[in-house]
Amino acid sequence: MPNNPQVMISFLTPLADDGIGYSYGYVFTGTNLLGALLVWFSLYESVSLSLENVDLMYSEPGIKPWNSHKWMPPGYITRMQRDDEYFHHPEKGSDGLGNGNGSGEMQPQVEREEKVNARV
């Protein structure tokens, strides 16, 4: 059996068209809409994120796929603009995240939002 969806569609379309005729268009449209909804409600937006940041986004329980495009990684003003102060500030601890104890804890979202709002 072929694994490629396009090959399956091109193979099955004549068979389905012979069986249900014009209604095949409705079935095809319905399955495409169902597929689009499945993607919208189950896949996270990860454009311009590193693998580490995607992992961090997936591990945060409050992030949902339909609003994942609003999520910012720690140390970023936007997904494309990095906050150099966050990464190169001399008061930061050994972990590079602003924690003097090197525990690796992330900066809370509220503090990041305040910093973004202060820059705007």
Side-chain angles (χ1 to χ4, degrees):
M1 202 65 184
N3 290 330
N4 193 341
Q6 289 85 7
V7 173
M8 290 175 54
I9 289 172
S10 64
F11 178 74
L12 295 174
T13 297
L15 298 173
D17 192 36
D18 288 342
I20 59 176
Y22 183 76
S23 298
Y24 177 70
Y26 295 122
V27 172
F28 187 76
T29 302
T31 55
N32 280 329
L33 290 175
L34 183 65
L37 290 174
L38 179 71
V39 167
W40 178 258
F41 287 111
S42 63
L43 294 181
Y44 287 74
E45 179 65 55
S46 61
V47 168
S48 74
L49 294 177
S50 66
L51 289 175
E52 292 81 9
N53 287 331
V54 171
D55 184 46
L56 181 63
M57 180 175 62
Y58 271 88
S59 66
E60 287 190 14
I63 305 296
K64 303 294 182 207
W66 50 90
N67 63 9
S68 63
H69 67 280
K70 298 176 186 174
W71 182 83
M72 297 300 166
Y76 285 76
I77 297 169
T78 67
R79 284 194 174 191
M80 301 299 249
Q81 185 178 6
R82 202 170 125 163
D83 184 8
D84 289 330
E85 278 184 34
Y86 184 83
F87 292 98
H88 301 292
H89 200 273
E91 296 175 5
K92 294 192 187 264
S94 61
D95 61 359
L97 297 171
N99 299 317
N101 59 5
S103 66
E105 295 175 14
M106 293 296 178
Q107 184 179 11
Q109 180 71 27
V110 176
E111 291 179 20
R112 285 186 282 168
E113 289 175 359
E114 288 173 359
K115 191 169 192 174
V116 169
N117 291 337
R119 287 183 166 253
V120 174

